[in-house]
Amino acid sequence: MRARLHPLTALTGAACTAVVTTAAASWVFSVAVTLAVAVLAARAGVARQVLPAAAVILAPLCVSLLVLHGLFFPEGQTALASWGPARVTAEGLRFALELATRTAACVLALLLFSFTVSVPDLVSALAERKLPPQFVFVLASTLALLPAIAGRLVRIRQAQEARGLVLRGGLLSRLGAVRLQMVPLVLGLIEDAGSRAQALDARGFGGGAPRTSYREVPDPPAQRWFRAAALLAAAGAVVIRLALSWPPGVQP
Amino acid sequence: MTGPALRARIGSFTFHGDTVPVLRDIELAPAAGTLTAVLGGSGSGKTTLGKLLGGWLQAGPGGSLSGGLELGPTRLLFRGGPDDPRINPAAWSGRVAYVPQDAATMLSTVRSTVAEELAFGLENRGVPREDMRREVARTAALTGLTALLDRDPATLSGGELRRLALGCAVITGPEVLVLDEPLASLDSGGAVLIQDLVRELLGAGTAVVLLSQTADGLARAASHWIVLDRGVATAGGPPEELEGSSELEQAGVVLPDRPGAGEGTGRAVRRSGSGTPGAPVLELHSLAYGYGHARKPSAVPREQVLRDLELAVHAGEIVAVTGANGAGKSTLLRHVNGLLRPGAGEVRVCGRNIAGSPTGLVAASVGLLFQHPREQLFERTVLREVSFGLRGLFGTDAADRAQAALAAVGLSGFADAHPGELPSSAQRLLALATVLAREPAVLALDEPTVGLDRHGLELLRRAVEATAERGAAVVMVTHDLGYARATAHRVLELSGGRLREA
């Protein structure tokens, strides 16, 4: 892993993929992008994290799209079945498919980015671009929050188990345990934040002085060119989309 | 000798919302290149004093201060009113740096390597990258972190973390360095490293203020002692004068070399111990453990921490396990209640193999005091904390048991307090109370003496004795060999993954 992607290159890539896919508005294209991203995730070794996370986000979304547009699509002509006011129309299904595949492509691209990006690289790349340090810190803490919460939950659970909390596999038991762990989790995070704030202040954070960055994130020219090209492609895709869908007879 | 690097006069300091000041009548004037020790027991206000000196706690937003701070030409006078000067923590702490007892608090948590964490304070002050590189290398050499510069701070050991926190504080070149219990929970090797570091800083002209509840070797090297008792400086002077003074005794300061000072008296429960062993209450047979077992049982463990380990502890017996930091003492103890499961071998409690029993069930027979009490405490009040899970064990008796356990550790008056707001020694005693309340057959204690003052050590000694007397097996791990010898019937050393007589 010598030649790493600059975090902004990865971010641009993911964002432009999302924009182009949305602009293309073709389920075939969306499916192709989804598959390509899945392959990339597998090659980056993060498929096991990206795919389940994507499933958690997309499954409820797809179901709701299907119910909403599959059953109730006012413009639908070709009814395949109907129950009272609800009609399954071919157009509705097609629209749901379009939206679902497009969303899947975008979600997967952004998830791939968030699971592969090196948070420290991203933070220092943003800091170098003179973003407010508070914003960069909040972003970095947010990205680091999930592992921190997971670690803290394990500790709380161990403390409770060591005092007789028996965790069984059942759903009710698990929900009960979650309830027991949420209050200490939130209170602990708040307490942590308080003492952390004192330490950050004392270390000069938020002092308002111009900052420098210790970490160097190489940004080769090729990647800068790629970013520019990707942004142009995305802008081009949006323009073409607008031009194509402009109502006929009206000159833009 | 030059004049004082810092002169602090604290008439009183009161937290907002409190009526009683936490600090009163304290004067401190550490000179460049000298070591000043502020000694006091649990709750004496040492940490509040340290945070106030180091700009972590600011007069005004943090509480009401009447007194004065002088740092070089800067003179600040506080009257406790709205017109008081405000300290800029960033500028102030570059000159007076405070290192908290819990070193992890010092870290930014958003830096991925030791080098970047060290540089954080410099980045915030806009130091050019080349200068940062040089300062990071210099500080790393000073704190013995050179080999660890690329490590993730989250993977450091306790001693390494303490040195990193120290490095983060000294990298800006402060004139005054305030160290809060810098030796707590370090083994002798780790303590020596810190002591050497302090010596170097003193040599370089830094004024060092030590906050400690133990008159240990580092404190003895100080030229001036201040005794702090419930927020008031009750005595001050050279160590020779104050050693053996009633003020020191009163304040609950631990005096390591003095027999009978609470750190185990040699008269522990030897009478009821190893003479007539019945069946062992706790047995570890051929225990082996390596990190990496849990996730991939088939994989070769990266690091074998315990191997072929044998241990049997009988009813009424107290066994102490010593060993260097990182020898696997805590890992061993976590096997006793099933928080960790062995890669090979078995753990038997009261004759039953605990394999397959969830930790929550094993907890009925085994009480484990965690190494870091804050990780053991999760409730909103002290009383709720100690009552957690008792109803299932004792039914309607639970409330009485909880009160009795709090009384045993001297915390009855704090039932409604938030555990997080207690001083760290009281947190340890509270964690001990939560374990004692369950009356386990096996009491497992992980570094129980750390952070306890003389009164706390006395309470601990009584609790351990009483537990052994009622027929429980006690196994404790500690880096404190003196305490182990004074308290336990048997002292074992964990080294190379095995136990042997020390």
Side-chain angles (χ1 to χ4, degrees):
Chain A
M1 290 288 283
R2 287 306 307 162
R4 288 169 63 99
L5 274 188
H6 189 277
L8 291 186
T9 309
L11 180 61
T12 313
C16 291
T17 306
V19 170
V20 171
T21 313
T22 310
S26 138
W27 69 268
V28 182
F29 186 78
S30 300
V31 168
V33 169
T34 307
L35 288 177
V37 173
V39 169
L40 281 179
R43 287 185 55 179
V46 290
R48 277 159 165 259
Q49 288 112 49
V50 171
L51 297 181
V56 167
I57 298 173
L58 291 172
L61 194 80
C62 289
V63 169
S64 67
L65 281 176
L66 211 60
V67 171
L68 205 65
H69 299 297
L71 293 180
F72 308 96
F73 194 68
E75 295 89 343
Q77 306 285 325
T78 329
L80 302 176
S82 66
W83 301 271
R87 294 187 309 142
V88 181
T89 62
E91 290 79 4
L93 283 181
R94 191 183 168 82
F95 188 71
L97 176 73
E98 285 281 356
L99 270 185
T101 50
R102 205 183 305 166
T103 316
C106 297
V107 165
L108 240 74
L110 293 171
L111 278 177
L112 175 63
F113 163 74
S114 65
F115 277 101
T116 50
V117 71
S118 146
V119 174
D121 279 353
L122 178 66
V123 167
S124 75
L126 292 178
E128 270 180 27
R129 277 161 181 75
K130 304 286 178 249
L131 259 77
Q134 285 84 353
F135 170 80
V136 176
F137 185 85
V138 167
L139 178 76
S141 329
T142 313
L143 291 173
L145 195 63
L146 273 182
I149 286 181
R152 188 176 278 270
L153 268 180
V154 169
R155 289 201 293 275
I156 292 172
R157 201 196 63 223
Q158 289 188 338
Q160 292 177 339
E161 281 186 294
R163 278 194 262 153
L165 175 73
V166 181
L167 290 175
R168 292 204 172 80
L171 184 67
L172 273 182
S173 155
R174 281 186 184 274
L175 282 178
V178 166
R179 188 183 61 81
L180 270 178
Q181 286 155 10
M182 273 310 133
V183 175
L185 175 74
V186 173
L187 291 181
L189 288 174
I190 292 173
E191 191 189 320
D192 244 23
S195 54
R196 188 83 55 209
Q198 289 183 336
L200 288 173
D201 272 350
R203 295 184 68 191
F205 187 74
R211 290 167 44 86
T212 46
S213 176
Y214 181 82
R215 191 184 185 91
E216 233 173 334
V217 187
D219 191 7
Q223 293 201 22
R224 290 166 191 252
W225 282 113
F226 170 80
R227 288 206 294 272
L231 286 172
L232 272 178
V238 172
V239 169
I240 293 172
R241 176 80 234 153
L242 284 177
L244 284 181
S245 50
W246 212 267
V250 183
Q251 289 302 314
Chain B
M1 184 69 55
T2 52
L6 168 76
R7 188 186 289 276
R9 192 176 49 75
I10 293 165
S12 72
F13 179 77
T14 314
F15 282 116
H16 293 309
D18 283 1
T19 47
V20 188
V22 281
L23 299 175
R24 267 190 302 128
D25 304 329
I26 302 169
E27 288 213 31
L28 200 74
T34 65
L35 177 61
T36 306
V38 178
L39 300 172
S42 163
S44 61
K46 297 187 302 295
T47 296
T48 306
L49 175 64
K51 288 188 167 179
L52 202 55
L53 291 178
W56 282 46
L57 197 60
Q58 293 139 48
S64 165
L65 170 70
S66 77
L69 293 172
E70 275 179 43
L71 184 64
T74 314
R75 290 180 179 208
L76 304 172
L77 192 64
F78 299 90
R79 293 195 179 82
D83 303 331
D84 279 355
R86 288 288 164 92
I87 285 179
N88 171 358
W92 184 269
S93 60
R95 302 180 62 189
V96 185
Y98 167 75
V99 182
Q101 181 178 355
D102 179 7
T105 323
M106 184 90 181
L107 305 187
S108 73
T109 66
V110 292
R111 290 294 179 263
S112 58
T113 66
V114 168
E116 287 172 38
E117 190 62 60
L118 281 172
F120 182 73
L122 300 178
E123 290 179 321
N124 293 329
R125 292 177 171 88
V127 176
R129 189 178 280 150
E130 280 317 304
D131 296 353
M132 281 200 272
R133 289 245 161 81
R134 208 175 43 243
E135 285 304 306
V136 165
R138 185 185 63 81
T139 308
L142 181 71
T143 49
L145 292 170
T146 306
L148 307 173
L149 280 177
D150 291 329
R151 280 265 294 276
D152 178 353
T155 64
L156 296 184
S157 74
E160 291 161 350
L161 204 59
R162 184 79 41 83
R163 278 183 282 138
L164 174 57
L166 247 159
C168 292
V170 300
I171 198 162
T172 52
E175 297 136 75
V176 184
L177 180 64
V178 184
L179 302 176
D180 197 349
E181 299 283 359
L183 302 186
S185 80
L186 295 188
D187 61 8
S188 52
V192 165
L193 283 175
I194 298 283
Q195 279 167 318
D196 289 348
L197 174 57
V198 169
R199 207 166 299 132
E200 286 211 36
L201 290 167
L202 290 170
T206 311
V208 180
V209 178
L210 168 71
L211 309 172
S212 174
Q213 52 193 4
T214 310
D216 50 22
L218 189 55
R220 276 164 211 276
S223 53
H224 189 78
W225 277 8
I226 292 169
V227 180
L228 203 59
D229 192 357
R230 275 163 286 180
V232 183
T234 52
E240 314 81 77
E241 245 172 56
L242 291 184
E243 232 169 335
S245 67
S246 59
E247 287 89 351
L248 206 58
E249 188 93 357
Q250 197 81 38
V253 174
V254 180
L255 304 164
D257 303 338
R258 273 185 50 198
E263 251 210 59
T265 56
R267 66 186 165 88
V269 263
R270 285 175 196 283
R271 57 188 178 278
S272 62
S274 46
T276 51
V281 182
L282 171 70
E283 298 160 87
L284 310 180
H285 289 306
S286 313
L287 202 69
Y289 181 82
Y291 288 107
H293 268 307
R295 273 177 230 133
K296 290 184 186 168
S298 58
V300 179
R302 274 177 305 177
E303 194 188 350
Q304 200 69 33
V305 185
L306 308 174
R307 60 187 74 175
D308 268 337
L309 185 139
E310 296 284 334
L311 176 68
V313 188
H314 296 84
E317 192 182 20
I318 305 173
V319 172
V321 176
T322 66
N325 286 137
K329 302 194 294 293
S330 297
T331 305
L332 167 64
L333 222 49
R334 287 182 162 245
H335 278 86
V336 173
N337 72 345
L339 277 179
L340 287 178
R341 302 290 172 166
E346 60 177 25
V347 178
R348 290 181 165 271
V349 174
C350 302
R352 274 196 312 274
N353 188 344
I354 67 164
S357 309
T359 299
L361 287 183
V362 180
S365 322
V366 180
L368 171 66
L369 179 73
F370 288 24
Q371 185 179 4
H372 302 291
R374 201 61 199 90
E375 290 183 0
Q376 189 153 15
L377 306 176
F378 49 81
E379 275 287 7
R380 276 163 274 178
T381 69
V382 165
L383 184 61
R384 285 178 65 104
E385 191 72 66
V386 80
S387 308
F388 183 90
L390 288 190
R391 194 167 284 275
L393 285 178
F394 304 114
T396 50
D397 265 358
D400 294 340
R401 303 276 181 153
Q403 293 292 356
L406 282 183
V409 298
L411 288 177
S412 296
F414 297 89
D416 295 325
H418 188 288
E421 287 165 359
L422 298 177
S424 64
S425 55
Q427 287 182 1
R428 190 170 299 272
L429 289 172
L430 172 59
L432 179 67
T434 66
V435 177
L436 292 177
R438 306 174 61 81
E439 298 200 350
V442 176
L443 179 63
L445 308 170
D446 198 345
E447 298 286 1
T449 64
V450 169
L452 293 187
D453 66 0
R454 209 167 46 80
H455 307 309
L457 287 171
E458 179 61 25
L459 289 166
L460 171 69
R461 184 184 61 77
R462 273 194 237 147
V464 169
E465 279 187 17
T467 306
E469 262 165 23
R470 71 167 168 77
V474 181
V475 54
M476 63 172 86
V477 307
T478 174
H479 67 281
D480 187 341
L481 197 58
Y483 178 80
R485 289 216 176 99
T487 316
H489 304 121
R490 279 195 293 150
V491 180
L492 306 172
E493 191 189 351
L494 180 61
S495 131
R498 294 190 178 84
L499 287 171
R500 57 181 174 79
E501 297 285 335

